Amino acid sequence: MSGQTLLVIDEGTTSTRAMLFGAEGSCLGVEQRELHQHYPRPGWVEHDPEQIWSSSLACARKMVEEAGGAGQIAAIGITNQRETILFWSRASGRALGPAIVWQDRRTAQLCSERKARGDEDWVQKRTGLLLDPYFSASKIAWALQHWPAVAEAGEDLCVGTVESWLVFRLTGGLHISDASNASRTALMDIGSGRWDPDLLALWGVPRSALPEIVDCAGSFGMTLAGHFGAPVPICGLAGDQQAASIGQACLAPGDTKATYGTGAFVLTNTGDEQRLSRNRLLTTIAWQIGGLRSYALEGSVFVAGSLIKWLRDDLGLLGNAAESERLARSVPDSGGVQIIPAFTGLGAPHWHASARAAISGLSFATGRAHIVRAALEAMAHQTSDLMACFAADGAQWETLRIDGGMAANDWLAQDLCDMLDLPVERPRFVETTALGAAMLAGIGCGLFDSLEDAAAMRGAVDLFKPDMHADTRSARLEGWQAAVRGVLARSQGRP
Ligand code: ADP
């Protein structure tokens, strides 16, 4: 008789975690390991597949031990950094090269060549994505061109995103990927939920190397007995942002969550409608259960918490991230300071890769509190720009559900609420990504009948209500937009 505890492996970009959940949503334990970032050349970002595997296994083993053995675990759910791609041997299970991480820009040239040929329109219609190095397809094409071990592997080659790699190792050879992760490779027709022959041809990817696409919840396979002392079923799989949407119970069309971590990712549920953005938002599979797909529109802001980290680590303006809240409250406004955090270009709605960050409006009256406040204000400004894009695409927000490391900041939560003029909800338990994976695993192993049933795991929320004069809001947005125009004007002529 198996237990009622759900084990989640959350394999993120900077760390790997395992968490234990009770079926009612309580978090019973966490184990975490840092993941080493490799930057072999400017713009390149790699992870060691063996470290991804060994950290995930070690964290999961610790949690199984804490649960009292494999028999106490009803099911495993896996959630992961998306788009990052791995290459391994089907026969030996050994990696054939490093993992190419989602942030890696080495395929900018490959993407712009195809863009110049006019391929972006049909690619967007079929995948919901843009021709950008962010997605896995161009990274696979690059590895096939540059790494002999990958190019020469033939039928022995397995390619997959992080959850696919973990499942292969956990089960000893099952090669699957769930629809939410597969939808980020730019090789999938997100309408049919299948690998698309035209997209495979565009990037020269052999079908035989790709995993079978499966649902996000179900009975996928058992772990090898040696890993945890006895086999445990793997029953939930989802990319991290989709898992966070599920963990935030964004189950009905219009439901929206925003995760403020290193970057910020906003997803609005569009139900069974695969809506194509006219404002360069992405269309993505939110989840697939029982063969039925739900979709979301997604907007990404490249810089969120990393701006606070930069103020702390590089400028030394903060002792710790939480101090930003006290400093922001210590001044009545930013004193005219605007920060446009375009450190790696501007995302939606501008999509200007060569734009660079700016701090404007400085005077001798400017103190560090004004700069820190301007940094936090930039989060609401960026989200407000995204909200306009979503609205223009017919996805009006009514409430924003926030999470991620930055969401712990009460001042920021209230400022988002004031600037968007929307109620903001913040769950007491903010690890929504892991929670979403636990919910899927719970459905997959039969603890819950449906996502609606599993949503009770989300628990209590704090609610913020808008409290700002419309004139203050519009003055701030005008200041922001003028500063954005300045940044765009300075980047004119750069690609
Ligand atoms: P990720 O999952 O992307 O690694 P997290 O969700 O853990 O990130 O969030 C960490 C980020 O949040 C860091 O960049 C940090 O600077 C920022 N952060 C953490 N606490 C606060 C806070 N109280 N106020 C503002 N920013 C914060």
Side-chain angles (χ1 to χ4, degrees):
M1 156 88 195
S2 65
Q4 297 280 296
T5 311
L6 298 164
L7 169 63
V8 168
I9 299 174
D10 179 356
E11 206 298 309
T13 308
T14 57
S15 72
T16 298
R17 269 185 293 189
M19 294 174 102
L20 269 187
F21 288 92
E24 77 301 343
S26 59
C27 179
L28 307 172
V30 189
E31 177 72 8
Q32 179 163 345
R33 300 250 171 124
E34 295 312 307
L35 188 64
H36 194 78
Q37 311 293 309
H38 299 270
Y39 303 106
R41 292 191 201 179
W44 291 30
V45 189
E46 296 176 352
H47 289 159
D48 172 5
E50 288 305 330
Q51 195 194 11
I52 291 178
W53 163 246
S54 59
S55 309
S56 302
L57 182 64
C59 291
R61 276 185 172 154
K62 182 82 191 347
M63 286 298 97
V64 171
E65 203 178 292
E66 211 152 286
Q72 301 303 314
I73 312 285
I76 295 179
I78 301 176
T79 181
N80 55 290
Q81 50 165 321
R82 306 174 302 171
E83 298 98 11
T84 297
I85 198 81
L86 296 96
F87 309 86
W88 66 92
S89 154
R90 195 182 308 276
S92 71
R94 235 178 269 132
L96 300 174
I100 307 181
V101 178
W102 59 274
Q103 295 148 320
D104 191 294
R105 309 298 292 176
R106 78 183 65 182
T107 57
Q109 181 67 28
L110 280 182
C111 291
S112 37
E113 281 165 19
R114 282 156 181 80
K115 222 188 260 188
R117 285 197 329 228
D119 283 326
E120 190 161 70
D121 263 7
W122 74 266
V123 168
Q124 192 199 5
K125 285 197 186 87
R126 209 141 327 158
T127 65
L129 312 174
L130 303 169
L131 271 177
D132 190 276
Y134 181 17
F135 309 105
S136 322
S138 65
K139 299 179 198 294
I140 303 173
W142 191 95
L144 284 163
Q145 284 172 18
H146 292 87
W147 288 339
V150 172
E152 291 157 15
E155 293 285 312
D156 186 44
L157 177 66
C158 284
V159 175
T161 39
V162 170
E163 88 298 352
S164 185
W165 166 244
L166 292 177
V167 169
F168 190 94
R169 281 285 178 100
L170 284 167
T171 58
L174 184 65
H175 194 202
I176 58 172
S177 176
D178 77 279
S180 75
N181 270 297
S183 78
R184 310 296 293 190
T185 58
L187 293 174
M188 183 200 207
D189 173 346
I190 60 166
S192 70
R194 285 200 279 270
W195 301 123
D196 183 88
D198 298 331
L199 292 163
L200 297 186
L202 179 69
W203 298 106
V205 177
R207 170 67 189 85
S208 62
L210 294 175
E212 181 196 343
I213 301 174
V214 298
D215 281 354
C216 297
S219 198
F220 302 123
M222 303 296 277
T223 62
L224 294 174
H227 292 322
F228 304 118
V232 181
I234 302 173
C235 296
L237 301 170
D240 53 8
Q241 299 307 324
Q242 285 94 331
S245 280
I246 293 168
Q248 286 274 29
C250 289
L251 306 183
D255 289 352
T256 302
K257 74 91 200 176
T259 301
Y260 296 89
T262 305
F265 295 89
V266 185
L267 267 77
T268 298
N269 182 314
T270 59
D272 56 12
E273 189 192 345
Q274 177 196 335
R275 193 172 307 174
L276 192 71
S277 173
R278 284 184 303 274
N279 296 279
R280 299 180 74 74
L281 299 172
L282 307 174
T283 312
T284 212
I285 292 181
W287 63 79
Q288 179 181 303
I289 296 179
L292 298 176
R293 283 174 287 288
S294 280
Y295 294 89
L297 275 176
E298 175 173 328
S300 3
V301 165
F302 301 140
V303 175
S306 51
L307 174 59
I308 302 301
K309 191 173 176 307
W310 180 75
L311 293 180
R312 188 193 66 188
D313 300 344
D314 295 281
L315 298 195
L317 291 188
L318 291 167
N320 55 60
E323 197 190 350
S324 61
E325 176 163 352
R326 184 183 61 74
L327 283 169
R329 285 187 198 282
S330 72
V331 285
D333 52 44
S334 72
V337 178
Q338 288 283 355
I339 301 187
I340 310 294
F343 291 85
T344 54
L346 279 172
H350 312 288
W351 291 101
H352 209 298
S354 66
R356 285 299 167 263
I359 304 181
S360 62
L362 300 176
S363 76
F364 283 123
T366 305
R368 75 177 172 127
H370 295 107
I371 294 178
V372 169
R373 181 163 170 138
L376 290 181
E377 286 185 349
M379 301 306 131
H381 298 155
Q382 299 187 102
T383 312
S384 168
D385 283 351
L386 276 184
M387 184 167 77
C389 295
F390 276 83
D393 279 335
Q396 208 84 36
W397 302 349
E398 281 170 14
T399 300
L400 187 68
R401 305 175 191 193
I402 63 167
D403 53 57
M406 283 192 106
N409 188 316
D410 282 348
W411 186 88
L412 174 70
Q414 185 61 47
D415 195 53
L416 279 167
C417 173
D418 289 340
M419 289 303 294
L420 303 175
D421 200 16
L422 285 180
V424 164
E425 262 184 41
R426 183 181 63 192
R428 300 264 165 87
F429 180 72
V430 291
E431 300 294 344
T432 55
T433 303
L435 189 63
M439 286 160 60
L440 289 170
I443 296 168
C445 72
L447 279 180
F448 306 117
D449 289 336
S450 63
L451 281 172
E452 287 71 17
D453 197 12
M457 285 182 85
R458 183 171 175 238
V461 297
D462 287 323
L463 189 63
F464 297 82
K465 296 204 184 99
D467 181 24
M468 181 184 266
H469 200 282
D471 294 346
T472 315
R473 185 180 307 122
S474 40
R476 264 194 41 198
L477 287 177
E478 276 165 30
W480 161 259
Q481 271 137 19
V484 169
R485 280 194 297 276
V487 159
L488 289 172
R490 281 192 292 283
S491 70
Q492 283 315 317
R494 297 203 297 259

